[in-house]
Amino acid sequence: QVQLVESGGGSVQAGGSLRLSCAASSLTTRTYCMAWFRQAPGKEREGVASFDSDGSTKYAESMKGRFTISKDKNVLYLQMVNLEPEDSAVYYCAADPGKTAARFFGNYCYTNPLDYSVWGQGTQVTVSS
């Protein structure tokens, strides 16, 4: 059973940077999607970026430029720079093993939370002004 464990969250001042990590265990399927999402209090969960097992990445339009998703072995990363108070949220890592959902959408890894079946517990990011 796939398990995801996020780390790297914390408190930073506006303009600062953080790198989040998501350690994936038992992700053994040849194809998969992984992604980062975030949820602020009182708001819906929103997609940040996705990572395809073929190495391609996608970003939510509003996240382009300050966020970079990458993966090394079994760890998914989210590098965040020039953080703003509006970036404060709980950040979640998610996976779609075997592209079970993505195969219905041209095999592309999008950032719709409904496409992901495995979730981590989240890590809090707080940006102060």
Side-chain angles (χ1 to χ4, degrees):
Q1 185 173 355
V2 179
Q3 291 188 320
L4 305 173
V5 179
E6 302 99 331
S7 61
S11 297
V12 296
Q13 290 192 328
S17 302
L18 279 175
R19 188 177 78 158
L20 306 182
S21 300
C22 171
S25 60
S26 303
L27 183 58
T28 58
T29 55
R30 184 177 60 84
T31 60
Y32 56 84
C33 294
M34 294 188 75
W36 286 99
F37 294 85
R38 69 184 188 183
Q39 187 166 21
K43 295 189 176 181
E44 292 187 354
R45 190 166 297 190
E46 63 176 339
V48 177
S50 66
F51 186 94
D52 194 313
S53 48
D54 67 5
S56 60
T57 59
K58 290 186 183 299
Y59 293 87
E61 196 62 34
S62 61
M63 308 295 176
K64 291 180 180 178
R66 298 186 298 115
F67 297 85
T68 304
I69 191 170
S70 62
K71 189 173 183 288
D72 183 18
K73 295 182 181 178
N74 68 325
V75 182
L76 185 74
Y77 298 100
L78 183 68
Q79 178 69 50
M80 306 184 292
V81 300
N82 196 21
L83 285 164
E84 305 169 351
E86 293 72 24
D87 296 317
S88 297
V90 177
Y91 284 71
Y92 297 91
C93 172
D96 173 22
K99 291 191 173 183
T100 303
R103 61 192 174 98
F104 291 104
F105 304 103
N107 251 6
Y108 293 111
C109 299
Y110 292 107
T111 52
N112 182 343
L114 297 178
D115 294 344
Y116 294 82
S117 59
V118 183
W119 291 83
Q121 82 289 351
T123 185
Q124 177 71 49
V125 171
T126 302
V127 184
S128 58
S129 57

